[in-house]
Amino acid sequence: TVLVSRRPEASTARSILEKMASDGIRSVAVVMMHSYAYAAHERLVGDVAASMKCFSHVSLSSDVMPMVKMVGRGHTACAAAYLTPKIASYLASFRAGFDAHLARRVRLDFMKSDGGLAPADDDFGGHHAILSGPAGGVVGYAKTAYRHFRNDDDDGDNDDGDDRVDGEEEANDKENDKENDKDNDKEND
């Protein structure tokens, strides 16, 4: 049971949002202390902001991060409010380069901050992607560097060339790949 001591006024919310819009704010994060348990007040403010049609994105903390801690929820809502319009613009530009055949047949996924993949649709927001650069870099580097590149220069010649000798390292790489695959299978069991 939730006891509401005072409901926000839509007219007050509109007045505050109009001032924000006149100051050049184009994206809004709405965070209320107890919205993890009762999100109706955030929705009221969010609906007012959306109805004004002057904000490119309205982020409700109860939608993007439904957790008790207000500060963490607020940070996530702010990240979503700031980054989601930028990601939407990037995705539109990226997809514009696809021909019709490719756009229909290829699933487009982006890496989330937890290293997982998510479809690049309307639900993919800035709060999902904020750490995807580092997460994507680490995962991508680990997968490609292990099998294809050497990250050190054992012979000290700094030539950045291939230091393989008569396939010796290639044979070692294949043996390491087999061992790595066995280790991965054990971890997945």
Side-chain angles (χ1 to χ4, degrees):
T1 303
V2 175
L3 174 63
V4 175
S5 60
R6 192 173 75 193
R7 184 177 188 273
E9 296 282 334
S11 60
T12 303
R14 179 174 293 281
S15 174
I16 293 168
L17 290 165
E18 285 171 349
K19 170 73 170 110
M20 290 170 59
S22 72
D23 288 344
I25 304 296
R26 295 293 171 251
S27 197
V28 176
V30 182
V31 184
M32 294 192 179
M33 187 174 288
H34 300 292
S35 65
Y36 66 91
Y38 186 74
H41 294 162
E42 275 192 2
R43 281 196 206 99
L44 181 141
V45 174
D47 289 346
V48 170
S51 74
M52 294 171 64
K53 308 240 188 275
C54 59
F55 298 107
S56 61
H57 187 77
V58 178
S59 173
L60 305 181
S61 75
S62 56
D63 288 342
V64 298
M65 183 62 68
M67 61 183 267
V68 174
K69 304 284 186 175
M70 185 175 120
V71 173
R73 199 166 16 94
H75 284 164
T76 303
C78 287
Y82 177 74
L83 293 172
T84 299
K86 295 182 181 314
I87 288 173
S89 174
Y90 168 76
L91 286 175
S93 171
F94 185 73
R95 285 183 172 135
F98 289 12
D99 65 21
H101 177 72
L102 183 63
R104 282 191 313 271
R105 302 208 53 217
V106 175
R107 178 178 158 176
L108 180 59
D109 288 343
F110 279 87
M111 185 163 292
K112 299 190 307 181
S113 59
D114 64 5
L117 293 175
D121 57 18
D122 293 337
D123 292 334
F124 187 77
H127 60 293
H128 293 118
I130 191 164
L131 298 177
S132 63
V138 168
V139 172
Y141 178 80
K143 291 292 186 183
T144 57
Y146 180 78
R147 291 195 170 104
H148 301 291
F149 302 105
R150 292 188 50 185
N151 193 27
D152 58 5
D153 190 15
D154 290 337
D155 63 4
D157 64 5
N158 293 323
D159 64 3
D160 294 329
D162 190 355
D163 291 334
R164 296 176 193 269
V165 178
D166 296 328
E168 177 183 323
E169 290 187 26
E170 188 173 275
N172 289 339
D173 285 347
K174 287 179 182 176
E175 193 60 37
N176 287 338
D177 286 348
K178 288 178 188 174
E179 288 179 27
N180 191 35
D181 289 343
K182 287 179 189 175
D183 291 341
N184 287 338
D185 289 342
K186 287 178 187 175
E187 289 175 13
N188 292 331
D189 287 339

Short mmCIF file of all heavy atoms in Angstrom, two decimals, residues 131-174:
data_model
loop_
_atom_site.label_atom_id
_atom_site.label_comp_id
_atom_site.label_asym_id
_atom_site.label_seq_id
_atom_site.Cartn_x
_atom_site.Cartn_y
_atom_site.Cartn_z
N LEU A 131 28.73 2.25 -21.45
CA LEU A 131 30.05 1.63 -21.31
C LEU A 131 30.36 0.67 -22.44
O LEU A 131 31.31 -0.09 -22.36
CB LEU A 131 30.15 0.88 -19.98
CG LEU A 131 30.01 1.75 -18.74
CD1 LEU A 131 30.05 0.88 -17.49
CD2 LEU A 131 31.09 2.80 -18.67
N SER A 132 29.57 0.71 -23.51
CA SER A 132 29.77 -0.29 -24.55
C SER A 132 31.09 -0.12 -25.26
O SER A 132 31.65 -1.08 -25.76
CB SER A 132 28.63 -0.27 -25.55
OG SER A 132 28.57 0.97 -26.21
N GLY A 133 31.63 1.08 -25.32
CA GLY A 133 32.94 1.26 -25.93
C GLY A 133 33.99 0.44 -25.21
O GLY A 133 34.62 -0.44 -25.79
N PRO A 134 34.18 0.68 -23.91
CA PRO A 134 35.17 -0.13 -23.19
C PRO A 134 34.80 -1.61 -23.15
O PRO A 134 35.66 -2.46 -23.33
CB PRO A 134 35.16 0.47 -21.78
CG PRO A 134 34.69 1.86 -21.97
CD PRO A 134 33.71 1.80 -23.11
N ALA A 135 33.54 -1.92 -22.91
CA ALA A 135 33.13 -3.33 -22.85
C ALA A 135 33.36 -3.98 -24.21
O ALA A 135 33.91 -5.07 -24.30
CB ALA A 135 31.67 -3.46 -22.43
N GLY A 136 32.95 -3.28 -25.26
CA GLY A 136 33.14 -3.81 -26.60
C GLY A 136 34.60 -3.95 -26.94
O GLY A 136 35.02 -4.94 -27.56
N GLY A 137 35.39 -2.99 -26.53
CA GLY A 137 36.83 -3.05 -26.79
C GLY A 137 37.48 -4.23 -26.11
O GLY A 137 38.29 -4.94 -26.70
N VAL A 138 37.14 -4.46 -24.87
CA VAL A 138 37.74 -5.57 -24.12
C VAL A 138 37.33 -6.91 -24.73
O VAL A 138 38.17 -7.77 -24.97
CB VAL A 138 37.34 -5.51 -22.63
CG1 VAL A 138 37.71 -6.79 -21.91
CG2 VAL A 138 38.00 -4.32 -21.96
N VAL A 139 36.04 -7.08 -25.00
CA VAL A 139 35.57 -8.34 -25.56
C VAL A 139 36.16 -8.54 -26.96
O VAL A 139 36.66 -9.61 -27.29
CB VAL A 139 34.02 -8.39 -25.60
CG1 VAL A 139 33.53 -9.59 -26.37
CG2 VAL A 139 33.47 -8.40 -24.19
N GLY A 140 36.10 -7.48 -27.77
CA GLY A 140 36.63 -7.58 -29.13
C GLY A 140 38.12 -7.88 -29.14
O GLY A 140 38.61 -8.73 -29.89
N TYR A 141 38.86 -7.19 -28.29
CA TYR A 141 40.31 -7.42 -28.22
C TYR A 141 40.60 -8.84 -27.77
O TYR A 141 41.45 -9.52 -28.34
CB TYR A 141 40.96 -6.40 -27.27
CG TYR A 141 42.44 -6.63 -27.11
CD1 TYR A 141 43.33 -6.16 -28.07
CD2 TYR A 141 42.94 -7.31 -26.02
CE1 TYR A 141 44.68 -6.38 -27.96
CE2 TYR A 141 44.29 -7.54 -25.89
CZ TYR A 141 45.16 -7.06 -26.86
OH TYR A 141 46.50 -7.28 -26.74
N ALA A 142 39.89 -9.28 -26.75
CA ALA A 142 40.14 -10.62 -26.21
C ALA A 142 39.89 -11.69 -27.28
O ALA A 142 40.66 -12.65 -27.40
CB ALA A 142 39.27 -10.88 -25.00
N LYS A 143 38.82 -11.53 -28.03
CA LYS A 143 38.49 -12.53 -29.05
C LYS A 143 39.45 -12.51 -30.23
O LYS A 143 39.80 -13.56 -30.75
CB LYS A 143 37.05 -12.32 -29.55
CG LYS A 143 36.00 -12.65 -28.54
CD LYS A 143 36.00 -14.13 -28.26
CE LYS A 143 34.85 -14.50 -27.34
NZ LYS A 143 34.87 -15.90 -27.00
N THR A 144 39.84 -11.33 -30.66
CA THR A 144 40.69 -11.28 -31.85
C THR A 144 42.17 -11.38 -31.52
O THR A 144 42.92 -12.05 -32.20
CB THR A 144 40.46 -9.98 -32.65
OG1 THR A 144 40.69 -8.87 -31.80
CG2 THR A 144 39.07 -9.95 -33.21
N ALA A 145 42.60 -10.73 -30.47
CA ALA A 145 44.03 -10.71 -30.14
C ALA A 145 44.53 -12.08 -29.76
O ALA A 145 45.66 -12.45 -30.10
CB ALA A 145 44.31 -9.71 -29.02
N TYR A 146 43.73 -12.84 -29.07
CA TYR A 146 44.18 -14.15 -28.62
C TYR A 146 44.55 -15.03 -29.80
O TYR A 146 45.55 -15.72 -29.80
CB TYR A 146 43.10 -14.83 -27.78
CG TYR A 146 43.54 -16.19 -27.30
CD1 TYR A 146 44.41 -16.30 -26.23
CD2 TYR A 146 43.12 -17.35 -27.95
CE1 TYR A 146 44.85 -17.54 -25.80
CE2 TYR A 146 43.55 -18.58 -27.53
CZ TYR A 146 44.42 -18.68 -26.46
OH TYR A 146 44.85 -19.90 -26.05
N ARG A 147 43.74 -14.99 -30.84
CA ARG A 147 43.94 -15.90 -31.96
C ARG A 147 44.78 -15.31 -33.10
O ARG A 147 45.41 -16.05 -33.83
CB ARG A 147 42.59 -16.32 -32.52
CG ARG A 147 41.84 -17.21 -31.57
CD ARG A 147 40.69 -17.91 -32.26
NE ARG A 147 40.14 -18.92 -31.40
CZ ARG A 147 39.02 -18.79 -30.73
NH1 ARG A 147 38.31 -17.70 -30.84
NH2 ARG A 147 38.58 -19.75 -29.96
N HIS A 148 44.79 -14.00 -33.25
CA HIS A 148 45.36 -13.45 -34.47
C HIS A 148 46.56 -12.52 -34.31
O HIS A 148 47.32 -12.34 -35.24
CB HIS A 148 44.27 -12.70 -35.26
CG HIS A 148 43.11 -13.57 -35.60
ND1 HIS A 148 43.18 -14.59 -36.51
CD2 HIS A 148 41.86 -13.61 -35.12
CE1 HIS A 148 42.02 -15.20 -36.60
NE2 HIS A 148 41.19 -14.63 -35.76
N PHE A 149 46.68 -11.92 -33.18
CA PHE A 149 47.71 -10.91 -33.04
C PHE A 149 48.61 -11.19 -31.85
O PHE A 149 48.21 -11.86 -30.91
CB PHE A 149 47.08 -9.52 -32.83
CG PHE A 149 46.17 -9.12 -33.93
CD1 PHE A 149 44.79 -9.16 -33.76
CD2 PHE A 149 46.67 -8.73 -35.15
CE1 PHE A 149 43.94 -8.81 -34.78
CE2 PHE A 149 45.83 -8.37 -36.17
CZ PHE A 149 44.47 -8.41 -36.00
N ARG A 150 49.78 -10.62 -31.91
CA ARG A 150 50.66 -10.65 -30.75
C ARG A 150 50.69 -9.26 -30.18
O ARG A 150 50.89 -8.30 -30.89
CB ARG A 150 52.05 -11.08 -31.18
CG ARG A 150 52.03 -12.54 -31.62
CD ARG A 150 53.37 -13.06 -31.88
NE ARG A 150 54.23 -12.74 -30.75
CZ ARG A 150 55.52 -13.00 -30.74
NH1 ARG A 150 56.06 -13.56 -31.77
NH2 ARG A 150 56.26 -12.68 -29.72
N ASN A 151 50.52 -9.15 -28.89
CA ASN A 151 50.47 -7.85 -28.25
C ASN A 151 51.83 -7.43 -27.70
O ASN A 151 51.96 -6.44 -27.03
CB ASN A 151 49.43 -7.86 -27.13
CG ASN A 151 49.12 -6.49 -26.63
OD1 ASN A 151 49.26 -5.53 -27.38
ND2 ASN A 151 48.71 -6.37 -25.39
N ASP A 152 52.83 -8.23 -27.95
CA ASP A 152 54.16 -7.85 -27.48
C ASP A 152 55.15 -8.01 -28.62
O ASP A 152 54.86 -8.53 -29.68
CB ASP A 152 54.58 -8.68 -26.28
CG ASP A 152 54.56 -10.18 -26.57
OD1 ASP A 152 54.31 -10.56 -27.72
OD2 ASP A 152 54.81 -10.95 -25.63
N ASP A 153 56.34 -7.59 -28.40
CA ASP A 153 57.36 -7.64 -29.42
C ASP A 153 58.57 -8.34 -28.81
O ASP A 153 59.50 -7.69 -28.34
CB ASP A 153 57.68 -6.21 -29.88
CG ASP A 153 58.56 -6.19 -31.12
OD1 ASP A 153 58.69 -7.24 -31.78
OD2 ASP A 153 59.11 -5.14 -31.40
N ASP A 154 58.53 -9.68 -28.80
CA ASP A 154 59.55 -10.46 -28.12
C ASP A 154 60.96 -10.23 -28.66
O ASP A 154 61.92 -10.22 -27.91
CB ASP A 154 59.24 -11.96 -28.21
CG ASP A 154 58.04 -12.33 -27.38
OD1 ASP A 154 57.72 -11.57 -26.43
OD2 ASP A 154 57.42 -13.35 -27.67
N ASP A 155 61.07 -10.04 -29.97
CA ASP A 155 62.42 -9.92 -30.51
C ASP A 155 62.95 -8.48 -30.49
O ASP A 155 64.10 -8.24 -30.82
CB ASP A 155 62.50 -10.50 -31.93
CG ASP A 155 61.61 -9.75 -32.92
OD1 ASP A 155 60.99 -8.74 -32.53
OD2 ASP A 155 61.53 -10.20 -34.08
N GLY A 156 62.14 -7.56 -30.07
CA GLY A 156 62.60 -6.18 -29.88
C GLY A 156 62.86 -5.41 -31.15
O GLY A 156 63.43 -4.32 -31.12
N ASP A 157 62.45 -5.93 -32.31
CA ASP A 157 62.77 -5.21 -33.55
C ASP A 157 61.76 -4.13 -33.90
O ASP A 157 61.98 -3.36 -34.83
CB ASP A 157 62.94 -6.19 -34.72
CG ASP A 157 61.65 -6.94 -35.05
OD1 ASP A 157 60.60 -6.64 -34.43
OD2 ASP A 157 61.70 -7.81 -35.92
N ASN A 158 60.65 -4.05 -33.17
CA ASN A 158 59.63 -3.01 -33.37
C ASN A 158 59.17 -2.87 -34.81
O ASN A 158 58.83 -1.79 -35.25
CB ASN A 158 60.15 -1.65 -32.87
CG ASN A 158 60.32 -1.64 -31.38
OD1 ASN A 158 59.53 -2.24 -30.66
ND2 ASN A 158 61.36 -0.98 -30.91
N ASP A 159 59.17 -3.95 -35.55
CA ASP A 159 58.76 -3.84 -36.96
C ASP A 159 57.28 -4.08 -37.16
O ASP A 159 56.78 -3.95 -38.27
CB ASP A 159 59.57 -4.80 -37.84
CG ASP A 159 59.33 -6.27 -37.50
OD1 ASP A 159 58.50 -6.56 -36.62
OD2 ASP A 159 59.99 -7.12 -38.13
N ASP A 160 56.56 -4.44 -36.09
CA ASP A 160 55.13 -4.70 -36.17
C ASP A 160 54.78 -5.73 -37.24
O ASP A 160 53.67 -5.77 -37.74
CB ASP A 160 54.31 -3.43 -36.41
CG ASP A 160 54.41 -2.49 -35.23
OD1 ASP A 160 54.54 -2.95 -34.08
OD2 ASP A 160 54.36 -1.28 -35.48
N GLY A 161 55.75 -6.52 -37.63
CA GLY A 161 55.51 -7.53 -38.65
C GLY A 161 55.20 -8.88 -38.03
O GLY A 161 55.19 -9.05 -36.82
N ASP A 162 54.98 -9.85 -38.88
CA ASP A 162 54.66 -11.19 -38.44
C ASP A 162 55.95 -11.89 -38.06
O ASP A 162 56.86 -12.04 -38.87
CB ASP A 162 53.95 -11.92 -39.58
CG ASP A 162 53.36 -13.24 -39.15
OD1 ASP A 162 53.60 -13.63 -37.99
OD2 ASP A 162 52.68 -13.86 -39.97
N ASP A 163 56.05 -12.34 -36.81
CA ASP A 163 57.26 -12.98 -36.32
C ASP A 163 57.19 -14.50 -36.39
O ASP A 163 57.98 -15.19 -35.75
CB ASP A 163 57.51 -12.57 -34.85
CG ASP A 163 57.90 -11.11 -34.73
OD1 ASP A 163 58.45 -10.57 -35.70
OD2 ASP A 163 57.64 -10.52 -33.66
N ARG A 164 56.27 -15.05 -37.15
CA ARG A 164 56.16 -16.50 -37.26
C ARG A 164 57.38 -17.07 -37.98
O ARG A 164 57.88 -16.48 -38.92
CB ARG A 164 54.90 -16.88 -38.04
CG ARG A 164 53.63 -16.47 -37.34
CD ARG A 164 52.43 -16.80 -38.23
NE ARG A 164 51.26 -16.15 -37.72
CZ ARG A 164 50.42 -16.70 -36.84
NH1 ARG A 164 50.66 -17.91 -36.39
NH2 ARG A 164 49.37 -16.06 -36.43
N VAL A 165 57.78 -18.24 -37.52
CA VAL A 165 58.93 -18.90 -38.14
C VAL A 165 58.49 -20.30 -38.56
O VAL A 165 58.17 -21.13 -37.71
CB VAL A 165 60.11 -19.00 -37.15
CG1 VAL A 165 61.27 -19.74 -37.78
CG2 VAL A 165 60.52 -17.62 -36.68
N ASP A 166 58.44 -20.52 -39.86
CA ASP A 166 58.10 -21.83 -40.42
C ASP A 166 56.85 -22.46 -39.82
O ASP A 166 56.82 -23.65 -39.56
CB ASP A 166 59.29 -22.80 -40.24
CG ASP A 166 60.51 -22.33 -41.03
OD1 ASP A 166 60.31 -21.71 -42.09
OD2 ASP A 166 61.64 -22.57 -40.56
N GLY A 167 55.85 -21.66 -39.52
CA GLY A 167 54.58 -22.18 -39.03
C GLY A 167 54.61 -22.63 -37.58
O GLY A 167 53.63 -23.15 -37.08
N GLU A 168 55.74 -22.46 -36.89
CA GLU A 168 55.86 -22.93 -35.50
C GLU A 168 54.82 -22.27 -34.60
O GLU A 168 54.13 -22.94 -33.85
CB GLU A 168 57.26 -22.64 -35.00
CG GLU A 168 57.48 -23.02 -33.54
CD GLU A 168 58.88 -22.64 -33.07
OE1 GLU A 168 59.83 -22.76 -33.85
OE2 GLU A 168 58.98 -22.21 -31.92
N GLU A 169 54.72 -20.94 -34.69
CA GLU A 169 53.76 -20.23 -33.84
C GLU A 169 52.33 -20.54 -34.25
O GLU A 169 51.44 -20.58 -33.41
CB GLU A 169 54.02 -18.73 -33.85
CG GLU A 169 55.30 -18.38 -33.13
CD GLU A 169 55.49 -16.89 -32.98
OE1 GLU A 169 54.48 -16.17 -32.97
OE2 GLU A 169 56.64 -16.47 -32.87
N GLU A 170 52.10 -20.76 -35.55
CA GLU A 170 50.77 -21.10 -36.01
C GLU A 170 50.31 -22.41 -35.38
O GLU A 170 49.18 -22.55 -34.93
CB GLU A 170 50.75 -21.20 -37.53
CG GLU A 170 49.36 -21.37 -38.10
CD GLU A 170 49.38 -21.29 -39.61
OE1 GLU A 170 49.33 -20.16 -40.13
OE2 GLU A 170 49.45 -22.36 -40.23
N ALA A 171 51.21 -23.39 -35.31
CA ALA A 171 50.87 -24.66 -34.67
C ALA A 171 50.59 -24.44 -33.19
O ALA A 171 49.66 -25.02 -32.63
CB ALA A 171 52.01 -25.67 -34.86
N ASN A 172 51.39 -23.60 -32.54
CA ASN A 172 51.16 -23.29 -31.13
C ASN A 172 49.81 -22.60 -30.93
O ASN A 172 49.11 -22.88 -29.97
CB ASN A 172 52.27 -22.41 -30.56
CG ASN A 172 53.58 -23.17 -30.40
OD1 ASN A 172 53.59 -24.39 -30.33
ND2 ASN A 172 54.68 -22.44 -30.37
N ASP A 173 49.47 -21.68 -31.85
CA ASP A 173 48.18 -20.98 -31.76
C ASP A 173 47.02 -21.97 -31.84
O ASP A 173 46.05 -21.88 -31.08
CB ASP A 173 48.02 -19.95 -32.87
CG ASP A 173 48.87 -18.71 -32.65
OD1 ASP A 173 49.38 -18.54 -31.52
OD2 ASP A 173 48.99 -17.92 -33.60
N LYS A 174 47.12 -22.94 -32.75
CA LYS A 174 46.03 -23.93 -32.89
C LYS A 174 45.92 -24.76 -31.63
O LYS A 174 44.82 -25.07 -31.18
CB LYS A 174 46.29 -24.82 -34.11
CG LYS A 174 46.05 -24.09 -35.42
CD LYS A 174 46.32 -24.98 -36.61
CE LYS A 174 46.13 -24.18 -37.90
NZ LYS A 174 46.48 -24.97 -39.08
#
